[in-house]
Amino acid sequence: MKPPPEAEDLPPRLLGLIGQGVESIETPALVVDADALGRNIRRMADFATRHHMRLRPHAKMHKSVEIARLQMQAGAVGICVQKVSEAEVMAAGGLNDIFISNEIIAAPKLLRVAALAYQMQQRGGRLAIAVDSHEGIEMLAHAMRMTNASIDVFLEIDVGQGRCGAPAGPEAARLALEIERGAAQLRFAGLHAYHGGAQHLRTPDERRMAISHAAEAVGKVCSLLSAAGIEVPLVTGAGTGTFSLEAASGAWHELQPGSYLFMDASYARNHQDNTQPRFEHALFVKSQVISVSADRVVVDAGHKSHAIDSGLPLVHSLPGQASLTYADAGDEHGILRLALGGLLPLLGATAWLIPGHCDPTVNLHDFMISVRGGLQEGRVESIIRVDGRGAVQ
């Protein structure tokens, strides 16, 4: 199998993997199940279409231009990012509709935002950003005056996350009015209403209650703005744990899920909501057993290979394999023990780990190895660059 021209500058050891079986992948390595990935992309796109919702996936999760393009080809209207540097990377890769769903305050970063808005506007693209304060609006307006470009501005409101966002009341209405009637280069694009804390509430009832309260907050702000004569063009938000609830509420117009693409061990701990499609695990850390004892084995994938902020990874059991649990062992090692009986894997055996949290796990790697045909018999189809690795400013 000949690699595509853009892959020819890959490191030789990675370039040589294309067309090889999964056993050729050295460990530890971040591996994408291309078949599961494709099904996840289609399921979310189909859901958005059926429910007449715009879909703007969060690219901060995968940080890959190639994957963002796949999402766009499936029907996404654009992407979200959290950092200016992520937006710059995605724009350089040809993405033309980008929302920085975060507050940017530092003057040098805002000058970069203005420059990027100008570049994207020149080629027919669109850049948007979130604000939640008078100072943020003023500083953004000042930066945009350095160009003749304009930028879409979403007012972020706090709908229960308790993080960023203006309180859902008169202050939000004043800020929206300031955007609407302020600098000509700022276009009021609507409300950013994301409840991150609801995504990992474990039961559907807990998540439903949280989004019900969030919808009330959105409705309150929309009513205040309507009374002030301000139309809200769009309400954007929602995540992998709750997107069907936002869609059903009628308060949101656009969905921003990210983790549905790969899923992770933390999302696996959520109780399934039958109003949502079921997504598959598509991101794995391939590891190898490097030491064997009577009651445990040790694999070569520790903290440097996968993030543990949302808990330790799950061990993915392939057919015929014993059920194993992963124990924290350090930077370079993980301890596996039997969960339900059976035989421990042998020295040199492969263990597939499902990361606890996909976003920071991806950011630990330069490349993801895409495998088609499954984790047992599949072959390496492509090498996916993590274009935005380390893009945190």
Side-chain angles (χ1 to χ4, degrees):
M1 182 183 298
K2 184 179 179 181
E6 61 269 22
E8 292 180 357
D9 62 342
L10 290 171
R13 67 179 181 82
L14 291 177
L15 187 59
L17 282 176
I18 297 176
Q20 300 298 309
V22 291
E23 69 279 358
S24 300
I25 301 172
E26 294 183 16
T27 59
L30 196 59
V31 175
V32 173
D33 181 334
D35 302 294
L37 175 76
R39 290 189 289 268
N40 288 344
I41 288 175
R42 289 192 298 274
R43 285 168 186 158
M44 183 61 80
D46 289 347
F47 177 92
T49 298
R50 287 196 310 273
H51 292 83
H52 309 290
M53 300 292 290
R54 291 161 53 95
L55 176 61
R56 181 180 295 279
H58 229 304
K60 78 178 180 70
M61 191 277 294
H62 55 72
K63 288 178 171 275
S64 164
V65 169
E66 180 180 338
I67 291 178
R69 287 175 181 160
L70 292 175
Q71 292 174 309
M72 295 289 289
Q73 290 165 9
V77 298
I79 59 168
C80 291
V81 296
Q82 285 291 86
K83 303 292 185 175
V84 180
S85 51
E86 288 177 337
E88 290 167 336
V89 166
M90 292 294 158
L95 278 296
N96 256 359
D97 194 327
I98 300 171
F99 172 33
I100 304 172
S101 55
N102 199 8
E103 285 69 29
I104 306 298
I105 294 298
K109 291 181 185 178
L110 287 170
L111 290 176
R112 288 163 54 198
V113 168
L116 185 60
Y118 175 79
Q119 293 165 15
M120 293 182 66
Q121 185 172 297
Q122 290 297 105
R123 68 187 197 204
R126 168 185 176 270
L127 183 66
I129 194 168
V131 298
D132 70 355
S133 66
H134 165 74
E135 294 80 5
I137 295 168
E138 278 198 332
M139 294 173 72
L140 175 63
H142 177 73
M144 293 304 300
R145 292 188 192 103
M146 303 294 110
T147 75
N148 61 1
S150 57
I151 190 168
D152 284 359
V153 182
F154 285 90
L155 174 65
E156 181 167 9
I157 59 173
D158 183 1
V159 293
Q161 170 75 1
R163 190 170 59 188
C164 296
E171 182 181 344
R174 287 194 297 271
L175 292 171
L177 191 65
E178 184 176 342
I179 301 167
E180 176 80 7
R181 300 179 183 176
Q185 290 168 294
L186 306 187
R187 294 188 298 250
F188 178 58
L191 301 177
H192 175 46
Y194 173 64
H195 193 336
Q199 305 311 308
H200 295 282
L201 295 174
R202 295 309 182 196
T203 69
D205 284 346
E206 289 176 301
R207 297 194 292 275
R208 191 170 295 112
M209 182 175 295
I211 298 307
S212 175
H213 292 158
E216 290 176 8
V218 170
K220 179 179 179 180
V221 174
C222 286
S223 295
L224 288 169
L225 294 180
S226 178
I230 299 176
E231 177 187 357
V232 178
L234 186 74
V235 178
T236 183
T240 295
T242 65
F243 65 87
S244 66
L245 302 174
E246 280 93 346
S249 73
W252 281 261
H253 313 104
E254 184 175 86
L255 307 175
Q256 300 176 4
S259 297
Y260 76 93
L261 193 73
F262 288 154
M263 299 303 284
D264 54 33
S266 182
Y267 270 110
R269 297 182 182 104
N270 277 9
H271 299 173
Q272 176 69 22
D273 184 340
N274 292 328
T275 66
Q276 297 196 171
R278 189 177 292 272
F279 299 103
E280 305 170 50
H281 292 296
L283 186 75
F284 302 88
V285 174
K286 183 188 179 189
S287 68
Q288 184 181 43
V289 176
I290 59 172
S291 181
V292 175
S293 299
D295 64 342
R296 68 188 184 278
V297 300
V298 179
V299 295
D300 59 355
H303 301 166
K304 291 181 182 177
S305 302
H306 52 82
I308 63 169
D309 60 295
S310 294
L312 296 173
L314 296 174
V315 183
H316 181 63
S317 295
L318 293 171
Q321 294 181 344
S323 178
L324 300 166
T325 59
Y326 183 100
D328 181 8
D331 293 347
E332 313 293 353
H333 305 93
I335 294 176
L336 307 188
R337 289 191 171 91
L338 290 170
L340 300 172
L343 297 176
L344 286 166
L346 300 175
L347 190 69
T350 294
W352 295 95
L353 308 179
I354 301 169
H357 190 181
C358 49
D359 304 42
T361 294
V362 170
N363 196 52
L364 293 170
H365 296 261
D366 292 318
F367 303 96
M368 296 176 275
I369 300 172
S370 179
V371 169
R372 179 79 63 182
L375 299 182
Q376 285 182 301
E377 305 295 335
R379 292 191 171 273
V380 176
E381 180 178 67
S382 66
I383 308 299
I384 301 172
R385 296 179 185 278
V386 182
D387 304 284
R389 184 192 180 182
V392 296
Q393 294 183 332

